[in-house]
Amino acid sequence: MSLQAELQQRVAAALCSVGIEESLAVVTPATDTRFGDFQTNAAMVAAKVLKKNPREVAAEILAHLKLEDLCQTTTIAGAGFINFKVLDIAISCEVNRVREDARNGVVQVEKPKTIIIDFSSPNVAKPMHVGHIRSTILGDSLARIARHLGHRVITDNHIGDWGTQFGKVIYGWKHLLNEEALEQTPIAELVRLYREVNELEEKDPALKETVRHELVKLQRGDAENLGIWKQAVALSWKEFERLYGLLDITFDERLGESFYNDALGPLVDRLLEEKIAEISQGAVCIFFPGSPELQEKPCLIRKGDGGFLYATTDLATLEYREMRWKPDAIWYVTGAPQQLHFEQVFASGRRMGVVTDLRHIAFGSILGEDRKMMKTRSGENVELGGLLNEAIERALAVVEEKNAELSRGEQEEIARIIGLGAVKYADLMQHRLTDYVFSWEKMLSFQGNTAPYLQNAYVRIRSIFRKAEAEGISVEAVPIVIADAAERALALQILQFGEVLHTVLEDQRPNLLCLYLYELADRFHRFYEACPILKSEGGVRSSRLTLAGVTAEVLKTGLSLLGIGVPERM
Ligand code: ARG
């Protein structure tokens, strides 16, 4: 059990003896480390229940607490906080346990859940835009963290491979296709077709009918149009796959919208039959009369002309997932503008009897330096492929300067890790709901809360180990002995690793993991300045080397849970 958990258990026991619900005992790291290492507000919560003075309740709780083997001091502060300053020996013991633990103190959940994570989900014949970038990075990190904690995770890329855009694409394919461009940059060529047909339609409104007819033919299963559609989807997939490969992201399933096509008609009919849906002005809707938010916002599932909608597909998808995986939760990682859509889908799902925990994991926008939605200079969506290439190129320029001695191949490999890591981290370090300004300079900086800063801390530790080996110093791990204040602070932060991941997953907030890792790297640097490692000797040197080694392990694992790699040198 972790130190924090151990303290919490003892506080719970003490609460019990003063007649209070033991679940009120919550121990957290101290907000002000001058007063202690951990704190609890249990006395304040209990005082409310007991209608007593919180400081008196704190004293009562303390009287029942047996902590000689764990704490140097316990104090009551402020309105009734209890602060614990832990014994150095207890920290040493605990950090040694974490060092020997293959999972560095991360305990898996007792009751694993089946969680479906629906993320990335770009649209075929349209480039992935920054919204898809955030979904991709965030969804992947959540999947990694949930798996690391022992949950059964199914990642599903719900791509938009069936929509009105295909009328334009098919018309364009038949009349305007540039085969060479299609071969070289398929997504860009498909988007060009889409845009060009759009423009033509504006000039010649009569064309709209012809284009719409291509769509209707596709929907009716016309062989030629289906063939074009299939090729367009396959080509787009190939390019998406290349980007996912670059980002080191995989999906268990890629059941796009088209997969649910045949289910839509029967689903709507059944919902009508079951009186969950009703006909309103020729369309089919699900109404939510009891809901203050949705009573004026019914969920439209079939248009007057018989066409189905985004929500219809999502309801069919929901039914399919329920049947196939019996999930405990489904997380939809999609931008905040889709909030109403998901509220309607979730409410409809509940009407259909779905009890699964459905969550819209929303996020804000990425802004350009002008604080408006990020766009290219010509006003188009920034496309993911181009963005990643630029990240790698910019990182390469930095690496060339810093590591002139390395081979070209090594430089490129390091640049890839740094460039991609920088983009991912810049996104994940923000609270997901805030809009943030995309800044190359900031994200590639080696100072501050950035991926390069964290990767650099890891690299520094690795280079200490290489140097030790070169000097014939033993790098074998030994029991760590905490003596200096900087060692103590670093060790305490290492011990928090086991706690932080659970908190991250509760609210789906990887930014808390970023913050944790930043603080870890920061405390490592302080330790590094205050406590010479290779210049010290004997047991002290071995202990410090070991402590640095555990720090490196936690940094590496933590970054990997954000989908970020570490180079061995940089
Ligand atoms: N393709 C959609 C878009 O680009 C996102 C799909 C999200 N997932 C879902 N099940 N609706 O906006």
Side-chain angles (χ1 to χ4, degrees), residues 162-164 219 257 260-269 284 300-314:
W162 192 260
T164 47
Q219 288 166 341
E257 294 180 4
Y260 301 97
N261 250 342
D262 297 340
L264 304 184
L267 171 67
V268 173
D269 290 343
V284 179
L300 185 61
I301 57 174
R302 194 172 72 201
K303 289 190 280 190
D305 66 6
F308 301 111
L309 297 103
Y310 185 39
T312 328
T313 312
D314 258 324

Side-chain angles (χ1 to χ4, degrees), residues 156-177:
D156 187 9
N157 194 344
H158 187 78
I159 63 163
D161 59 357
W162 192 260
T164 47
Q165 75 261 41
F166 282 101
K168 298 184 211 254
V169 171
I170 291 172
Y171 179 87
W173 187 290
K174 288 181 179 173
H175 302 279
L176 307 163
L177 188 64

Side-chain angles (χ1 to χ4, degrees), residues 25-46:
V26 177
V27 171
T28 57
T31 34
D32 188 337
T33 49
R34 280 174 306 172
F35 302 125
D37 306 313
F38 296 97
Q39 68 185 40
T40 179
N41 66 351
M44 290 143 82
V45 186

